[in-house]
Amino acid sequence: MGPRRKRRRYDATRRREAAERTRHDILESAQRLFTSRGYGATAMADVAREAGVALDTVYASVGRKPALMRLLLERAISGVDAPVPAEQRDYVRAIQAEPDPARKLALYAAAIRRIHERLAPLVRAIQAAAAAHPEVAELWSEISARRARNMRLLAAHLAETGALRPALGVDEAADVIWATNAPELYLLLVGDRGWSPERFEVWLADAWRRLLLA
């Protein structure tokens, strides 16, 4: 009985790892297709073919197409294949632990640059799809509203340090951070104007220091 129990645990681990690899392949395939063909022009059957799996496997692993787009966005934001709540992200913990306000903003600018390098291609796909696909527009609106809530938490954290400019309230500071860390601005400067991601990061940290800190 002992060896059989050990084999069942081993097999369960292998099945879980295989499922995770399949899910990763599906996400990678969907990202390639959504960003090259577009959301509307990509059928779930196309994703299945690209990933080399059955269509039923795609639905079982990631759900329907709107859920798949949500997973891709969450992956771009978190940097891993599963969503990670903001308070559990490494850079958020580093910002909270850092005592210097300017350094906090530099840490966040670096995190935003890394996120937008992953997110920017998907944002282009969303911009192209939103008018014809209300579920995509609704999803992006939800992500944007969540980002605004998180920016208010960051602004409140900065206010607690006493570092905000005297005339700047928490709500206005949150709006400034929300507007300037938008992926649309990253696309304008990096995608359209040819800035490097590193230049964007340095500029963003400097802009925040000038706009927000006393």
Side-chain angles (χ1 to χ4, degrees), residues 115-169:
I115 290 170
H116 286 350
E117 285 180 304
R118 299 188 296 263
L119 188 60
L122 285 172
V123 175
R124 292 289 197 201
I126 286 169
Q127 289 172 334
H133 300 275
E135 72 277 10
V136 174
E138 182 179 353
L139 170 60
W140 189 238
S141 178
E142 178 189 329
I143 295 290
S144 182
R146 186 180 73 185
R147 185 166 57 84
R149 291 192 297 271
N150 289 337
M151 293 313 95
R152 198 183 191 288
L153 293 175
L154 175 58
H157 176 67
L158 289 171
E160 289 170 2
T161 70
L164 286 183
R165 288 169 45 200
L168 190 63

Side-chain angles (χ1 to χ4, degrees), residues 8-115:
R8 282 198 294 271
R9 288 196 297 271
Y10 177 70
D11 287 347
T13 299
R14 291 187 62 182
R15 286 196 296 272
R16 184 173 62 253
E17 291 174 348
E20 290 172 355
R21 285 195 299 271
T22 297
R23 189 172 187 268
H24 177 80
D25 291 344
I26 291 169
L27 292 173
E28 288 286 315
S29 298
Q31 171 118 359
R32 285 194 297 271
L33 292 173
F34 285 175
T35 56
S36 60
R37 295 185 186 179
Y39 177 86
T42 301
M44 293 296 274
D46 298 327
V47 175
R49 278 193 296 272
E50 180 78 6
V53 299
L55 180 58
D56 286 347
T57 301
V58 174
Y59 286 127
S61 182
V62 299
R64 303 190 71 81
K65 193 154 76 162
L68 176 54
M69 177 59 90
R70 177 185 295 275
L71 285 172
L72 291 175
L73 288 173
E74 296 288 4
R75 185 176 77 146
I77 293 168
S78 69
V80 295
D81 282 352
V84 178
E87 64 275 11
Q88 295 179 19
R89 296 171 196 160
D90 290 343
Y91 72 85
V92 173
R93 291 172 172 170
I95 290 168
Q96 292 171 342
E98 171 59 51
D100 179 68
R103 181 59 185 157
K104 288 178 185 289
L105 293 173
L107 288 170
Y108 190 43
I112 285 297
R113 187 258 295 175
R114 292 192 298 270
I115 290 170

